Amino acid sequence: MNWMEQSISQTTQMLKDLEGLIAIPSVREEAQKNAPFGTECRKALDYMMDLGRREGFEVQDIDGYACVLSYGEGTESIGVLGHLDVVPQGSGWTKEPFALTIKDDILFGRGVADDKGPGMAAFYALKLMKEAQLSLSKKVMLIYGCDEESGMECMDYYVKHAEVPQMGFVPDADFPVIYGEKGGLHIELSGSCDSVIQSLSGGERANIVIEHAQAVLNEWDEEKTALFTFYLKSNQLQGEIKSQGSAVQISIRGRSAHAATPYQGANAALHLLNFIGSAFQDRFAQQTYALLSDWKGSGLHCETEGAYMGFLTLNTGIIHIDRHEASILLDIRYPNDIDADYIESKIKEALFEADYPLMASVKKQVDPLFVDPNSELVTTLMDVYRTYSGDSFHPAKTIGGGTYAKKLANFVAYGPEFPRHPNETAAEIGGVHQPDEGIYLSDLQKAVAIYAEAIYRLAK
């Protein structure tokens, strides 16, 4: 089959279906009946199940946590895992976040790259296969969850209550093939602190670099205004000063990024702490900044460069200080050379040596993923990628991001982002979790073809 030709022929309908899915603001909310992640996530789940019924797939609702669209029969099965939830829209968009905008060869909208666009590409790959009436020896299961961005509770539930495929892939990362993913660790620092800060807040999710943060201070004068202005200019940031009665509120706008790549962002809360610590000689702010400012984790004594997975990364994702009570949530991605117990011990060691007032506790831990890069699964997917992309240079690799692949044995992440020289990438395209999130239409079309061929080879 010429899957690329078939993919292009379906573009108009695929974009129409994707437009409807992007329009649903499926950010996790408070649980409702039959909607464990809120009504908008439920709408997205229902939307995909309706598409599955339209195409004649077998459709299964896993109690609102996930859904399955199946094709074919067999005692063994191949799975493709996608997620329908998205992170909050954030600020700084020049396009409508919850609408599909098409400009030249680029698609824009929250979820168009993470992960509604790739999930739709997998759907159309299976649609093409069904229309071609190809004979398969294994059942193919498209599984869509609704809580990937907030802890993957959906997949935890799925594994306990539904059929688990023997192998498969997750269209929620990069090509060629992601055979390893760093472990994930959420550490909370909490307790009482002595500081000039009356309140400070920033961040919505641990897995996003804090884009905007604000602090309330009782002490302020013209000298501090000059220092703040200088700090903003020196660090190429934007900020504001507002009076609040006898107090002053200062805010900084940084740059959001995925927690797996915190070096691509500018953490607004850490910048606030750095300024307050320097301008007021505030020991708590100085200590916190010193401990958390290095994205490699050197301040917390846990810096590590892995043999396969590269550096440990540290992101300060959420921070709240109110009347000298503080809570800071850290998102740590670590290579498989070390484990969570080692990281926790090193962090506690660093806090003790610094005589830091907050205590560390583990809130969430996910082990690293590692699939043999010489396995049949990885080599098959690599061969398909090379055939359709013409790229024989880039190898299979590991990443810091976490996908559903960690939740099921013998799964890897597979596209849809293609390796591309930076000079060939449009500057206007925002990355995942960023404003103006975008993806090339031609890349999505090619992903449909790659996924169709990959599913066929794994399931035939």
Side-chain angles (χ1 to χ4, degrees):
M1 292 293 296
N2 186 333
W3 293 118
M4 193 66 212
E5 183 179 284
Q6 295 298 313
S7 171
I8 292 173
S9 72
Q10 299 276 344
T11 297
T12 299
Q13 184 62 51
M14 182 176 72
L15 291 178
K16 181 179 179 181
D17 290 341
L18 181 57
E19 180 180 32
L21 187 57
I22 296 294
I24 303 171
S26 49
V27 178
R28 178 173 178 167
E29 299 173 322
E30 185 177 346
Q32 305 291 334
K33 185 178 180 180
N34 297 322
F37 308 114
T39 56
E40 297 300 331
C41 287
R42 177 75 234 190
K43 289 178 184 177
L45 199 68
D46 289 337
Y47 184 91
M48 285 308 301
M49 289 194 293
D50 285 343
L51 292 185
R53 295 185 186 98
R54 183 191 74 189
E55 299 303 327
F57 296 138
E58 181 182 338
V59 176
Q60 190 177 8
D61 180 357
I62 312 300
D63 302 328
Y65 285 81
C67 71
V68 184
L69 313 182
S70 302
Y71 171 68
E73 298 179 352
T75 57
E76 296 184 352
S77 55
I78 299 298
V80 182
L81 313 181
H83 68 89
L84 304 176
D85 62 310
V86 295
V87 299
Q89 70 178 59
S91 59
W93 286 77
T94 63
K95 316 288 191 301
E96 177 62 36
F98 294 109
L100 181 64
T101 300
I102 305 174
K103 181 180 179 182
D104 300 325
D105 184 40
I106 306 170
L107 309 180
F108 294 95
R110 177 57 86 216
V112 74
D114 182 26
D115 186 41
K116 293 179 177 180
M120 191 63 71
F123 176 84
Y124 267 79
L126 193 59
K127 178 178 184 291
L128 291 176
M129 191 166 300
K130 182 176 182 294
E131 291 175 352
Q133 297 182 336
L134 295 177
S135 176
L136 304 177
S137 65
K138 300 175 184 177
K139 179 169 65 173
V140 182
M141 304 170 63
L142 298 183
I143 304 170
Y144 296 96
C146 293
D147 184 42
E148 197 271 351
E149 300 291 3
S150 301
M152 303 190 189
E153 184 182 339
C154 53
M155 280 300 111
D156 291 333
Y157 187 91
Y158 181 90
V159 169
K160 293 178 181 178
H161 297 87
E163 179 183 352
V164 177
Q166 281 70 53
M167 69 168 63
F169 61 85
V170 181
D172 189 20
D174 305 326
F175 286 122
V177 178
I178 308 299
Y179 65 88
E181 298 177 7
K182 292 176 182 176
L185 189 62
H186 283 182
I187 297 275
E188 183 182 45
L189 308 180
S190 60
S192 300
C193 61
D194 184 14
S195 173
V196 298
I197 300 170
Q198 296 304 300
S199 68
L200 189 152
S201 62
E204 298 179 87
R205 299 282 178 87
N207 63 345
I208 307 175
V209 174
I210 298 174
E211 180 183 24
H212 182 264
Q214 56 193 23
V216 175
L217 306 161
N218 286 335
E219 301 177 29
W220 199 261
D221 55 35
E222 290 302 316
E223 181 183 1
K224 298 296 191 300
T225 298
L227 287 173
F228 189 61
T229 301
F230 177 76
Y231 184 89
L232 295 174
K233 289 183 178 179
S234 298
N235 290 280
Q236 297 179 314
L237 298 167
Q238 294 182 334
E240 289 184 309
I241 304 170
K242 293 182 180 179
S243 296
Q244 283 195 346
S246 60
V248 167
Q249 180 192 83
I250 60 173
S251 63
I252 287 180
R253 184 168 300 282
R255 184 172 64 255
S256 65
H258 196 288
T261 54
Y263 44 83
Q264 293 181 351
N267 196 302
L270 291 181
H271 274 291
L272 271 182
L273 289 166
N274 190 27
F275 169 75
I276 293 168
S278 300
F280 291 86
Q281 294 299 299
D282 185 273
R283 186 169 184 268
F284 175 74
Q286 289 174 333
Q287 284 184 308
T288 305
Y289 181 77
L291 290 166
L292 306 181
S293 59
D294 180 19
W295 62 264
K296 293 182 181 179
S298 63
L300 292 175
H301 295 182
C302 58
E303 68 274 25
T304 304
E305 183 177 7
Y308 284 94
M309 299 184 177
F311 288 105
L312 173 149
T313 60
L314 166 70
N315 178 58
T316 302
I318 302 174
I319 180 168
H320 291 292
I321 301 173
D322 186 22
R323 300 183 185 276
H324 308 296
E325 292 294 320
S327 173
I328 304 172
L329 188 59
L330 310 177
D331 183 307
I332 298 172
R333 313 292 173 102
Y334 61 94
N336 60 342
D337 309 68
I338 57 176
D339 59 27
D341 290 340
Y342 171 83
I343 298 170
E344 183 183 6
S345 67
K346 298 301 287 186
I347 290 175
K348 290 181 176 179
E349 173 189 290
L351 300 183
F352 176 79
E353 290 182 3
D355 192 25
Y356 190 62
L358 306 187
M359 302 296 290
S361 59
V362 175
K363 296 300 179 183
K364 175 187 172 185
Q365 190 264 320
V366 180
D367 292 333
L369 162 75
F370 189 83
V371 175
D372 184 353
N374 296 311
S375 66
E376 180 184 357
L377 173 63
V378 174
T379 55
T380 298
L381 296 180
M382 280 295 297
D383 185 60
V384 172
Y385 166 78
R386 286 173 173 154
T387 298
Y388 278 84
S389 68
D391 174 14
S392 60
F393 174 75
H394 291 92
K397 62 178 182 176
T398 66
I399 60 170
T403 73
Y404 280 155
K406 286 181 177 175
K407 295 296 184 178
L408 280 73
N410 210 24
F411 271 71
V412 296
Y414 192 43
E417 296 286 340
F418 287 85
R420 179 178 278 108
H421 190 280
N423 291 339
E424 298 174 4
T425 302
E428 63 183 315
I429 299 181
V432 299
H433 297 191
Q434 292 183 332
D436 289 344
E437 177 183 338
I439 191 171
Y440 286 96
L441 172 58
S442 55
D443 284 359
L444 207 60
Q445 291 170 322
K446 193 180 296 182
V448 172
I450 290 173
Y451 293 154
E453 179 68 16
I455 291 170
Y456 175 66
R457 289 202 199 178
L458 293 174
K460 68 181 181 178

